[in-house]
Structure formats: C-alpha cells, structure tokens
Amino acid sequence: MTIKVGIIGCGSIAKFRHAPEYNRNKNAEIAAFYDPNRERAEALASIYGAKVVDDYMDIITDPEIDAISDCSTNEMHHIISTLGLKNNKSVLCEKPMATSVENAMKIIEAKQSSKGKFLLDHNQRLTVAHRKAKAILESGELGQVISFRTTFGHKGPEYWGADKTKNNWFFNKNRSMLGVAGDLGIHKVDLLRFLLNQEMVEVTAMEGALNKKDEKGNPISVSDNMACILKTNKGIFGSAIFSWTFYGGEDNSTMLYCEKGTMRIYDDSDHQIIINKFGEEIIKYQTEKMQTNDNQTSTGIIDEFIDVIMNNKEPLITEVDGIKSLMIIESAIKSAKTGQTIMIEE
C-alpha cells in the first residue's frame, strides 16, 4: 500500500523535513507540490518527481491523493487543513495549529465528520531523548517533578526560513500572528504537557520585540522574545523562555527538578539526558543529537503520519493536543499584554 501525498507550502519546513522524510518512507509517494511561489514548488518537484499545481485546491480535491502536508504560513493552517479534512484527506498540519483558538476549532469541527486522520507536527514528543525522559519519569525513579525550566531559542527565522531577509513572513503580524511564541513556544508547552502528563492552568508572561528589525529598520510587529511562568493543575510551576535572538548556538533544553534528583535534557552536546541524584550519583544517556536548524535529522513525524493512516491508528499528537497548546500560548500573549496572570481553561 502506498500513501500518495500532496505538499502545500514549499518553504524550508517542506524542503528540509517533510519532502525528504516522505521520500525515505517506503510506503509514501509525493504526488504533488503547491506554493504561491511556483519556483519553490518546481524546485522540489525536480528532486522528487512530483507534479506542480497552480492552486492548492487541485491537491485537496484530487481523488488520487490520500493525504496532505499543510506547510503553509500560520494564517492559512485553519483554512487548508479544514478543507483537506472536509475532502476526507488525512492531514499533517505544521504548528501552530492555527493563529487563534477560534480558528483551531474550525479544524476540530471538520475532523469530527472527516474520514481522514489529523496529526499535528509537535515533533519534540517523538525525539528519542524526550521519549526516554518520559519513561524515566513514569518509572518513578526520580519521584514527582517539583518544578521545571525549559528554553527554545535560535538566531531567528530569517536564518532558517525560505525568505532569508528582514522582510520575512514570520515577522508580519498579519501572517505569523503569534511571533516567537507560536513558532518556538508552542513546541515547548506541548512538550511540558507530554513529559509531565499535567495541564497548564495559569500563566504569567512578558514578551517584546527586543532586537529584530523589519526591512525599514523598525521593531518587528510580533515578539522575538517571551518569558513565562507556568503552573500546572497539580500545583507545580516553572519557567519557559522562547527566543529568536540566541545568536550563539541553539538552545532547546529542559530541566526537571524532582524529589529524588534532577534531569537535564538536551543540555549537553555529548549526553542528551543527564540525571543527578542528590549530587551523589550521575547517570548519563546518549540517545541522538537534538535536531536543529543546522543539524537536519529525521523528526519521525512523517513516519508517524504514514503509520497512522496505514494502520488506522490514533495519532500520538491530536487536534486536542494542538488546541490545548494553543490555549496556553494565547493566554501567555494575553498575560504579556495585560500585565496580569491569566487562568487557562483545562
């Protein structure tokens, strides 16, 4: 059985992750590409042998195509993913699921009556180190988590995205909407939910355009940095920092402070998990290098998507996970704008 896929949006996320990972999956075949910039679609089609279409609806309505990767810009996710589901395609949607909870609900409504599957690309759940960390936590080896800190930062999307200029859609409020919080922060709040198996119920946040400038030299219209204090439904709390201005190396680390020791995840280049039990016993695990913009390795999300379709499985990251993470980010932005602590619906 071969799953035929159409990729909508041919920027860097499609170029470096979706397309090559589909190509490596023996059960997937890329059937078509679409991008508003046809040259980008043609560039990928020349590598993978698929056709190029002039309208994304040609992919969504094509009866020969089983699934789509929605790699469009943020403000288009709820439109393209909803249309895909309404046409009974399985949909892999890039994060964030939408630019607002209201728009994300349109995807959820479409999913309820669709024959297709829906998977959200919160791929940090799939890394070997994060899965190993979750297993250690569930074993009780470290007792209960007491508090946490997590960080995700890099040089910014102008160094990674297809448009390597200051005139970048990530910096445009009408298209990105959520800034660094929707680009990087949404990964880490989903990861916290995954690792802790708890829901975030309270957030206090600050954000700002601290350094990035647009093509006219003005501060960008979305935030390039955000710092949050998050509290869970079980009463633990910790910090989360998201940044587009880490001009040294990328930081994608998480620290968990537990009853019987601490766990550092992706905080050491040689050992992806380091456990310290009361300063007396150090346990180090080597899993795999963290995927970064400069270190493109398989995310596992494409293999998961194809497996879900072929075996009619429940996805590891669902539309419910997507909307819960979006609620946290939306609440954090509200907190930053109002200067108040915001309660998050469970």
Side-chain angles (χ1 to χ4, degrees):
M1 179 180 179
T2 299
I3 305 299
K4 293 189 175 181
V5 181
I7 297 180
I8 297 176
C10 298
S12 290
I13 200 70
K15 178 180 179 180
F16 293 115
R17 297 186 183 174
H18 288 246
E21 290 185 36
Y22 281 122
N23 190 55
R24 288 193 294 266
N25 188 298
K26 65 180 181 180
N27 296 312
E29 176 188 336
I30 304 174
F33 289 100
Y34 167 79
D35 192 274
N37 181 338
R38 186 180 173 90
E39 289 183 0
R40 289 182 192 165
E42 289 175 342
L44 290 182
S46 69
I47 298 171
Y48 300 106
K51 67 182 178 181
V52 174
V53 300
D54 291 318
D55 188 331
Y56 61 75
M57 287 303 298
D58 292 339
I59 289 176
I60 288 172
T61 59
D62 188 337
E64 299 297 316
I65 291 178
D66 305 298
I68 66 171
S69 263
D70 183 357
C71 300
S72 63
T73 50
N74 291 357
E75 85 282 9
M76 293 297 295
H77 288 174
H78 73 283
I79 297 171
I80 290 172
S81 288
T82 295
L83 287 169
L85 289 167
K86 285 183 175 180
N87 282 270
N88 294 314
K89 306 297 186 194
S90 291
V91 176
L92 170 57
C93 181
E94 263 304 322
K95 53 75 196 168
M97 184 173 168
T99 54
S100 68
V101 170
E102 179 182 2
N103 283 338
M105 288 303 299
K106 297 174 183 177
I107 296 176
I108 288 183
E109 290 167 7
K111 173 64 175 63
Q112 290 173 348
S113 58
S114 178
K115 295 178 182 177
K117 298 289 187 179
F118 181 83
L119 179 65
L120 191 63
D121 192 3
H122 283 172
N123 55 47
Q124 294 214 9
R125 291 186 179 216
L126 301 180
T127 74
V128 178
H130 286 149
R131 288 187 175 194
K132 177 66 176 178
K134 185 174 178 66
I136 293 169
L137 292 173
E138 290 179 341
S139 75
E141 178 182 345
L142 293 175
Q144 297 298 312
V145 177
I146 300 168
S147 63
F148 57 85
R149 67 165 171 81
T150 194
T151 302
F152 196 179
H154 57 53
K155 296 188 294 292
E158 74 272 37
Y159 292 90
W160 146 254
D163 296 321
K164 293 180 173 60
T165 69
K166 294 181 179 180
N167 185 23
N168 191 294
W169 74 263
F170 282 95
F171 296 163
N172 185 329
K173 187 172 180 60
N174 293 328
R175 303 186 70 190
S176 167
M177 295 292 289
L178 307 174
V180 71
D183 182 35
L184 304 184
I186 204 145
H187 270 306
K188 298 316 286 273
V189 298
D190 178 73
L191 178 65
L192 288 171
R193 291 184 61 248
F194 172 69
L195 291 176
L196 302 175
N197 197 28
Q198 298 178 37
E199 298 297 341
M200 302 298 158
V201 296
E202 190 175 313
V203 59
T204 306
M206 293 185 292
E207 67 172 355
L210 304 184
N211 182 259
K212 297 295 185 187
K213 301 291 193 298
D214 63 20
E215 67 276 15
K216 296 180 181 178
N218 300 315
I220 62 173
S221 58
V222 294
S223 294
D224 57 22
N225 278 268
M226 173 178 275
C228 306
I229 301 296
L230 293 158
K231 185 177 181 180
T232 77
N233 58 341
K234 294 187 179 179
I236 73 172
F237 55 83
S239 65
I241 295 176
F242 323 125
S243 178
W244 280 337
T245 63
F246 284 12
Y247 295 123
E250 187 167 320
D251 188 347
N252 202 338
S253 62
T254 298
M255 184 85 171
L256 302 175
Y257 304 90
C258 307
E259 292 174 316
K260 300 177 183 179
T262 60
M263 184 191 301
R264 294 165 55 194
I265 310 169
Y266 290 125
D267 195 36
D268 181 88
S269 59
D270 297 320
H271 300 91
Q272 288 69 49
I273 299 175
I274 299 178
I275 292 174
N276 185 327
K277 295 184 177 181
F278 294 102
E280 298 173 356
E281 181 183 4
I282 309 296
I283 305 169
K284 297 181 178 181
Y285 295 92
Q286 286 184 316
T287 56
E288 87 296 8
K289 298 288 186 182
M290 182 68 199
Q291 185 180 70
T292 68
N293 291 344
D294 298 324
N295 176 39
Q296 294 297 324
T297 57
S298 177
T299 62
I301 198 72
I302 299 302
D303 291 344
E304 167 69 9
F305 184 46
I306 297 301
D307 186 43
V308 162
I309 298 170
M310 293 189 65
N311 295 297
N312 193 27
K313 293 170 50 179
E314 180 70 9
L316 290 176
I317 310 109
T318 68
E319 64 274 11
V320 174
D321 294 312
I323 204 162
K324 284 184 176 291
S325 294
L326 191 56
M327 288 171 68
I328 298 167
I329 292 301
E330 203 170 70
S331 297
I333 292 173
K334 183 178 180 181
S335 172
K337 292 188 184 307
T338 63
Q340 298 177 341
T341 296
I342 303 297
M343 305 304 294
I344 307 165
E345 294 181 27
E346 286 191 64

